[in-house]
Amino acid sequence: MIRKARPHALRAVFLLAMAVFAAPPALAQCGKASWYELRGRTASGVIADPEALTAAHRTLPFGTRVTVENLANGRKVKLTIVDRGPFVRGRVIDVSRRAARDLAFLRRGITRVRVHVEGKKAPTCK
């Protein structure tokens, strides 16, 4: 016996998928950043380069330009999103080794940052 899918069940699945995949990414975030050194290819297919000004973000589209500011010292750097991550709770972005060096938190490994998409209003962080 072949059962037909119920229209309301299909609609619920469709609406849930649209909510998950069509949610607009955050245009500004404050939180912790860490750095990582990847060898090989990133999630976007680009060959990873630790000396490039790149970053990993969970939701921003690949190729998005963001400005990351270290809240401890005020240093800023412009990065391009080329990978997915971070996969640690409480972190908003992973940056390349060079970006961590430019932001002056390479030795510490983690710092509080303000991340905003270029051309959008920067958030205020506490």
Side-chain angles (χ1 to χ4, degrees):
M1 175 171 164
I2 298 175
R3 288 187 167 179
K4 290 185 177 180
R6 297 179 186 209
H8 66 292
L10 288 176
R11 186 175 57 189
V13 170
F14 176 76
L15 291 175
L16 178 64
M18 289 301 294
V20 170
F21 294 112
L27 298 178
Q29 291 179 309
C30 296
K32 292 181 182 177
S34 57
W35 69 273
Y36 74 118
E37 186 171 336
L38 177 66
R39 301 285 182 186
R41 292 203 181 267
T42 64
S44 65
V46 176
I47 295 176
D49 179 7
E51 292 303 312
L53 291 172
T54 58
H57 193 275
R58 287 186 192 99
T59 58
L60 289 174
F62 296 133
T64 302
R65 298 277 299 163
V66 296
T67 301
V68 178
E69 179 183 359
N70 185 341
L71 296 176
N73 59 24
R75 290 188 182 200
K76 296 180 184 179
V77 67
K78 294 183 181 186
L79 306 174
T80 304
I81 303 299
V82 297
D83 205 3
R84 289 291 169 232
F87 299 108
V88 176
R89 177 181 279 175
R91 297 191 193 162
V92 296
I93 196 166
D94 277 338
V95 301
S96 65
R97 182 178 62 202
R98 167 137 182 241
R101 186 171 46 243
D102 291 353
L103 290 167
F105 77 95
L106 187 64
R107 284 186 183 214
R108 195 169 330 131
I110 297 174
T111 192
R112 286 206 22 93
V113 296
R114 174 184 300 130
V115 179
H116 70 276
V117 175
E118 281 191 11
K120 307 296 181 187
K121 185 179 176 191
T124 56
C125 299
K126 296 178 182 178

